[in-house]
Every structure is written in structure tokens, then in C-alpha cells.
């Protein structure tokens, strides 16, 4: 089979997926259509409709775009069948029903931003950094009935440096995701769709603890100052710049204020105060943890702009009696 003969339908929505679609288009793979989320209302009055980043790119290069509200809608399914795709490629999209993923003759594969079976779920990049992992990667696997459990096609590793935040890992995996999608399509072409795969249950050594990657909400982005300095440091960089780790800034008799923290630094300062206690020293801002103190570098008070800690301190005459919770 030649590359031009493999009919591909691409499914994705955010920036992370655009890089893979771009790579396929620029390398002349036969992408016959794109499926993405419906346009979303934006603006103060929700009166403007904004297309997804995948749709914007697809339109730039002249690809047909489908935007189903419901994946089981019969009109959409009929449109999809008419493209007679050999394979569906999914990157950062929504959960697909069997009637969709089982449609193409070579199946549907997904690009997942983790080394499965670790970090199944909606936020694998964030949770890998939060948990202090030194390595993550990307995986392609064929979709089946359960989320992120299908047979693995291939994997590519990515090193997480200790100073990386989630944005830096995201950018690296976005490029690596495009690499692995292209390699997976090449393998499908070379084998005429007879790709060897590995069940995920065979990839789990005895005694291995599997980490999940659940969706992030405000509630699970709150900092626990009773953790170690290293744990809080990883938590901050695992949520920076989005959605952002946060804490409550408290002073007796005053209203609680949300403080987001975007960058911090580890140090060798010993634990001497209760977790959450704020201290300053020569223009530096520290918060006590379970085993020491974490220096805050970039932060944002609710309703204010993101700023360096030194600028933040200039706005306070004193932080006496303030604590973080």
C-alpha cells in the first residue's frame, strides 16, 4: 500500500492536536476529512462563535470539517461512512462510541500523552509532573470499549527535567505526538493494516502501582502545605501555567483571598514553622511545608495581574499574621 492510498479521517480539537494534523498534511498523507467539536460561544455576551484550533487549521488547508453535536447522530454517521476511511486518527478529542471507532477497516488509533498503562485519563501531562515523574512519553493504541485501555501499537519516551513546568512538557509531547502518529501510520501502510499490538495488561510488571490522570477541577488544584517541599514544588509546576495551583491567603478578621502560584523554588531551609506560615527575608517570600520552606517566585492575587514575588511584596507593608491554607 502507498501513502496516498490510505484514507485518513482525523479527529481532534485543541492546539495539541493541530501539530499532528499539520505533520500529516505537510507530509502528504491522504487526510480526507477532519472531525472536531462544534464552535463555542465566546465574548462577554456569548454572542460570538469561536471555532476550534483544529477547525481553523483544517479550513486553512482546505480540508472538509465535520462538527457533530452527538457522535451517534445518524446524519453524522452517514457523512462519516461516505468518506470510506481506512483508519481514524484521534488526538485530544472526546470519547467515541463503538459505532464510530469500529467503522474503518484498519481501526481507530489514539495518541495519548503518557506511557500507557500509566496515566490513563483526561490530564496525563499534569499528573505526571505533579507526581514528580522523570519520564513520560506518548503512546498510540487502538480504541476499544474502555477509556485508554486498548492494545498498544508503539510508544516514544520523553524526559521531564526537574525544572520543567507542564507547559514545557506539553510542548515537547505535542511534537512527539506528531512523530508517533506519523510512525504509526507508516507501520499501518507497511503491514497493510496487520499491525502487531500488545495488550496493556501484559505491560504491567507485578507489584506496579498504576497512576490515573483524572480531570482537573479547582478543588484538586489547591495546595496542601502539609506535604513536603518537593511535593508542593512538583504540584505547582504540574499546574503551571494552567489551570494554576492555588492557596488561600488568610489573616484573622479579614476575608480569605485566593492566591495562585505559578513558579517556585526548592531550597535547603529547615522546617521551623507550621505548614502554611509565610515568611520574608531580603525580598524573598517563603511558605513553610511539612519538611522545610518553599520559595514563591511568581504568583497572582485574585483580581490582580500575575507578578514576581518581589513585586507582590512591594504591595504589602507587612505579611505579619498572614498564612496560607
Amino acid at each position: 500500500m502507498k501513502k496516498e492510498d490510505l484514507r485518513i479521517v482525523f479527529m481532534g480539537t485543541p492546539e495539541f492536536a493541530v501539530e499532528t494534523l499539520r505533520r500529516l498534511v505537510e507530509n502528504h498523507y491522504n487526510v480526507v476529512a477532519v472531525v472536531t467539536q462544534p464552535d463555542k460561544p465566546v465574548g462577554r455576551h456569548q454572542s460570538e462563535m469561536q471555532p476550534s484550533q483544529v477547525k481553523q487549521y483544517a479550513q486553512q488547508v482546505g480540508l472538509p470539517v465535520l462538527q457533530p453535536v452527538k457522535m451517534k447522530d445518524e446524519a453524522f454517521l452517514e457523512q462519516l461512512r461516505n468518506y470510506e476511511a481506512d483508519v481514524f486518527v484521534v488526538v485530544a478529542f472526546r470519547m467515541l462510541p463503538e459505532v464510530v471507532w469500529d467503522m474503518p477497516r484498519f481501526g481507530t488509533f489514539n495518541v495519548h500523552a503518557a506511557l500507557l498503562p500509566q496515566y490513563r485519563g483526561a490530564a496525563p501531562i499534569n499528573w505526571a509532573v505533579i507526581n514528580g515523574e522523570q519520564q513520560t512519553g506518548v503512546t498510540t493504541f487502538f480504541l476499544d470499549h474502555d477509556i485508554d485501555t486498548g492494545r498498544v501499537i508503539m510508544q516514544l519516551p520523553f524526559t521531564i527535567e526537574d525544572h520543567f513546568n507542564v507547559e514545557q512538557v506539553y510542548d515537547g509531547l505535542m511534537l512527539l505526538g506528531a512523530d508517533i502518529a506519523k510512525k504509526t501510520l507508516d507501520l499501518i501502510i507497511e503491514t497493510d493494516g496487520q499491525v502487531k499490538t500488545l495488550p496493556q495488561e501484559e505491560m504491567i510488571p507485578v507489584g506496579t502501582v498504576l497512576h490515573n490522570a483524572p480531570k482537573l477541577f479547582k478543588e484538586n488544584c489547591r495546595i496542601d502545605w502539609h506535604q513536603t517541599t518537593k511535593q508542593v514544588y512538583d504540584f505547582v509546576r504540574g499546574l503551571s501555567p494552567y489551570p494554576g495551583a492555588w492557596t488561600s491567603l488568610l489573616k484573622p478578621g479579614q476575608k480569605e483571598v485566593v492566591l495562585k502560584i505559578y513558579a517556585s523554588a526548592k531550597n535547603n531551609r529547615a522546617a521551623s514553622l507550621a505548614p502554611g506560615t509565610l515568611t520574608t527575608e531580603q525580598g524573598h517570600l517563603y511558605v513553610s511545608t511539612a519538611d522545610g520552606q518553599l520559595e514563591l517566585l511568581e504568583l497572582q492575587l485574585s483580581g490582580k495581574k500575575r507578578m514576581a514575588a518581589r513585586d507582590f511584596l512591594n504591595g504589602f507593608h507587612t505579611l505579619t499574621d498572614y498564612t496560607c491554607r
Side-chain angles (χ1 to χ4, degrees):
M1 179 186 293
K2 295 180 180 179
K3 179 165 61 175
E4 296 78 10
D5 298 327
L6 186 74
R7 296 176 63 82
I8 302 164
V9 168
F10 182 87
M11 301 184 181
T13 296
E15 176 194 28
F16 191 90
V18 174
E19 184 61 34
T20 298
L21 179 58
R22 179 185 292 112
R23 189 77 59 88
L24 301 186
V25 170
E26 292 180 353
N27 283 276
H28 309 293
Y29 288 85
N30 187 18
V31 180
V32 297
V34 169
V35 181
T36 190
Q37 294 279 53
D39 296 358
K40 289 187 175 182
V42 295
R44 184 175 180 181
H45 302 291
Q46 301 284 285
S47 57
E48 298 177 29
M49 299 301 290
Q50 181 172 314
S52 73
Q53 289 163 300
V54 161
K55 179 181 178 179
Q56 292 176 51
Y57 176 77
Q59 290 181 324
Q60 288 173 18
V61 297
L63 292 173
V65 177
L66 306 180
Q67 296 179 272
V69 175
K70 296 181 179 180
M71 299 299 291
K72 292 183 180 181
D73 179 77
E74 192 53 47
F76 162 68
L77 294 174
E78 186 61 27
Q79 281 184 297
L80 201 54
R81 291 188 192 101
N82 288 338
Y83 284 106
E84 298 180 337
D86 299 301
V87 64
F88 293 165
V89 179
V90 181
V91 184
F93 195 48
R94 57 201 287 187
M95 186 176 179
L96 302 180
E98 183 176 0
V99 68
V100 173
W101 57 255
D102 194 44
M103 191 180 296
R105 64 175 179 142
F106 293 150
T108 298
F109 75 80
N110 183 77
V111 176
H112 187 74
L115 297 176
L116 292 173
Q118 292 288 5
Y119 296 102
R120 295 168 175 160
I125 305 176
N126 300 90
W127 286 105
V129 180
I130 288 170
N131 289 336
E133 301 286 2
Q134 296 179 336
Q135 186 181 74
T136 184
V138 288
T139 302
T140 50
F141 67 96
F142 285 115
L143 295 190
D144 63 12
H145 294 92
D146 297 316
I147 298 176
D148 299 336
T149 60
R151 297 174 66 91
V152 169
I153 305 167
M154 65 174 63
Q155 296 184 317
L156 295 175
F158 179 86
T159 299
I160 303 176
E161 301 291 346
D162 186 62
H163 62 280
F164 281 3
N165 65 16
V166 75
E167 183 175 46
Q168 291 165 299
V169 181
Y170 177 100
D171 289 345
L173 293 183
M174 181 169 63
L175 297 175
L176 203 60
D179 290 343
I180 201 170
K182 181 178 179 298
K183 289 177 183 290
T184 299
L185 287 170
D186 289 343
L187 183 61
I188 290 172
I189 293 166
E190 291 168 11
T191 63
D192 196 28
Q194 304 304 305
V195 176
K196 291 183 179 179
T197 58
L198 187 62
Q200 290 190 36
E201 54 267 24
E202 295 182 12
M203 302 172 64
I204 308 172
V206 175
T208 298
V209 176
L210 292 183
H211 298 285
N212 292 319
K215 188 174 181 178
L216 293 166
F217 299 94
K218 182 179 179 180
E219 293 72 22
N220 56 2
C221 292
R222 184 173 192 154
I223 297 169
D224 179 4
W225 297 105
H226 290 83
Q227 292 186 314
T228 66
T229 299
K230 173 67 164 60
Q231 287 174 318
V232 179
Y233 170 78
D234 290 337
F235 191 78
V236 168
R237 66 191 182 101
L239 296 171
S240 179
Y242 183 82
W246 66 278
T247 187
S248 292
L249 190 62
L250 302 168
K251 185 175 182 177
Q254 293 190 8
K255 186 178 178 181
E256 179 178 320
V257 179
V258 171
L259 180 68
K260 280 194 173 184
I261 300 170
Y262 292 98
S264 62
K266 295 177 291 183
N267 55 72
N268 295 319
R269 295 169 70 94
S272 58
L273 300 168
T277 303
L278 282 161
T279 56
T280 61
E281 184 178 313
Q282 297 180 341
H284 294 269
L285 176 61
Y286 302 93
V287 183
S288 295
T289 65
D291 66 348
Q293 291 183 314
L294 184 76
E295 182 177 1
L296 307 188
L297 301 179
E298 290 184 49
L299 37 78
Q300 181 181 23
L301 269 176
S302 180
K304 304 293 184 180
K305 293 182 179 180
R306 179 173 168 175
M307 65 185 75
R310 188 178 294 273
D311 296 328
F312 171 80
L313 289 173
N314 288 337
F316 278 83
H317 297 295
T318 176
L319 280 171
T320 304
D321 297 330
Y322 278 96
T323 58
C324 289
R325 182 176 62 83

